[in-house]
């Protein structure tokens, strides 16, 4: 699993790893500009926490998987790469709570917690739970900033970027499940659900016939920026009695070319989210 070192302030530094990035962002930017920045991968922000896993950390994780005990102890948890890189100590962690949450995560992943393999123990206690701890910290910090700014109901947005098939959706599912157990309501969005409808994608392709990057969905220029901006804004600036439809895109439609589902088939958020995850 690609992991990241929480706590590094500022945008992506030059020479950093190409590993996964996680960016919790809270931006006083117009909705369209915010969404366009996400689509283009541009780090517009007032406050952004960017994290990544350098090559040496990958090597540490592989070595850890080869030697890790399947018996989860406080020492085992504290030996995790992310635990150490976050600067956590035994004083910071309620280990009984981590064990409890570890059982919840295992259940969500359909893993037998009482018989964890080495890889499963690393996945839960050296990756998922440290990331969860980091997410909790980000939510608390951003919410406090919103309270101080007189906007206590504004939900923070945590963006997760990772190569295709790297585990974003599974990670978000686990994070949301654990947070729900703790009473925190969340919503998950995927940038893939904001592709232009098939007809509009075809117009983009026809307008740039010599540009292979625009002959299908995926690159900047193939997303519905206005719809993405409006959806993010409605979710983060909740109104009493609100109902926010969340777009869905069917990649299998039109022989694999894909198309947006009709609005009547979109899920509707009817409860104010306390955090929004954006893959």
């Amino acid at each position: 699993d690609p992991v990241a070192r929480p706590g590094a302030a500022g945008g992506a530094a030059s020479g950093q790893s190409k590993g996964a990035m996680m960016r919790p962002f809270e931006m006083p930017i117009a909705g369209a500009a915010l969404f366009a920045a996400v689509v283009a991968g541009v780090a517009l922000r007032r406050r952004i926490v960017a994290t990544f896993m350098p090559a040496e950390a990958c090597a540490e994780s592989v070595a850890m998987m080869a030697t890790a005990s399947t018996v989860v102890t406080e020492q085992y948890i504290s030996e995790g790469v992310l635990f150490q890189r976050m600067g956590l100590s035994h004083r910071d962690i309620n280990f009984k709570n981590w064990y409890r949450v570890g059982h919840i995560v295992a259940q969500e992943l359909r893993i037998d917690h009482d018989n964890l393999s080495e890889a499963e123990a690393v996945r839960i206690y050296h990756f998922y739970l440290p990331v969860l701890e980091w997410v909790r910290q980000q939510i608390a910090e951003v919410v406090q900033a919103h309270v101080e700014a007189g906007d206590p109901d504004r939900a923070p947005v945590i963006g997760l970027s990772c190569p295709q098939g790297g585990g974003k959706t599974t990670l978000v599912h686990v994070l949301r499940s654990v947070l729900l157990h703790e009473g925190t309501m969340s919503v998950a969005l995927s940038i893939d659900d904001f592709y232009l409808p098939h007809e509009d994608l075809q117009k983009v392709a026809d307008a740039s016939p010599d540009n292979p990057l625009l002959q299908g969905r995926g690159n900047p220029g193939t997303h519905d920026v206005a719809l993405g901006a409006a959806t993010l804004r409605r979710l983060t600036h909740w109104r009493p009695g609100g109902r926010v439809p969340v777009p869905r895109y069917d990649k299998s439609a039109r022989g694999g070319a894909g198309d947006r589902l009709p609005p009547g088939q979109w899920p509707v958020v009817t409860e104010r989210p306390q955090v929004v995850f954006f893959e």
Side-chain angles (χ1 to χ4, degrees), residues 20-220:
M21 278 181 143
M22 301 180 66
R23 295 182 177 138
F25 46 88
E26 180 262 322
M27 311 182 192
I29 301 175
L34 166 58
F35 190 79
V38 174
V39 170
V42 179
L44 294 177
R45 78 279 186 198
R46 180 187 68 173
R47 176 181 180 278
I48 182 169
V49 178
T51 62
F52 60 95
M53 184 183 203
E56 63 270 19
C58 291
E60 290 177 43
S61 287
V62 172
M64 190 73 72
M65 289 181 67
T67 60
S69 169
T70 56
V71 178
V72 178
T73 63
E74 292 184 11
Q75 179 179 351
Y76 174 76
I77 292 174
S78 62
E79 289 174 348
V81 173
L82 283 187
F83 189 97
Q84 298 174 23
R85 289 183 179 275
M86 289 176 67
L88 295 175
S89 69
H90 284 69
R91 297 187 303 273
D92 303 313
I93 297 300
N94 181 330
F95 286 98
K96 288 184 178 179
N97 185 56
W98 273 49
Y99 296 143
R100 179 187 65 81
V101 175
H103 278 80
I104 296 174
V105 172
Q107 183 177 5
E108 292 294 332
L109 296 174
R110 299 183 180 181
I111 293 174
D112 181 0
H113 188 277
D114 295 332
N115 295 284
L116 293 176
S117 68
E118 294 175 359
E120 291 167 343
V122 168
R123 183 181 186 186
I124 293 175
Y125 286 96
H126 289 178
F127 178 42
Y128 278 44
L129 293 195
V131 170
L132 173 63
E133 183 67 23
W134 175 73
V135 165
R136 289 192 188 113
Q137 292 174 2
Q138 300 308 315
I139 294 174
E141 290 178 13
V142 174
V143 167
Q144 181 60 34
H146 289 166
V147 170
E148 294 173 357
D151 195 7
D153 293 331
R154 182 178 176 184
V157 177
I158 296 182
L160 298 97
S161 179
C162 176
Q164 185 177 14
K168 295 184 299 296
T169 301
T170 303
L171 172 61
V172 169
H173 170 75
V174 170
L175 293 174
R176 294 186 64 210
S177 295
V178 175
L179 290 173
L180 187 60
H181 274 277
E182 299 173 351
T184 299
M185 163 64 177
S186 65
V187 171
L189 303 178
S190 171
I191 196 171
D192 290 354
D193 286 321
F194 293 100
Y195 287 131
L196 292 167
H198 177 77
E199 182 177 341
D200 292 335
L201 282 175
Q202 191 59 53
K203 291 178 181 178
V204 170
D206 292 343
S208 302
D210 298 327
N211 188 346
L213 298 179
L214 295 178
Q215 299 309 302
R217 65 180 189 270
N219 288 299

Side-chain angles (χ1 to χ4, degrees), residues 206-241:
D206 292 343
S208 302
D210 298 327
N211 188 346
L213 298 179
L214 295 178
Q215 299 309 302
R217 65 180 189 270
N219 288 299
T222 64
H223 297 84
D224 191 331
V225 174
L227 178 62
T231 303
L232 276 174
R233 182 165 294 280
R234 292 181 67 188
L235 287 171
T236 56
H237 296 74
W238 192 263
R239 295 182 178 181

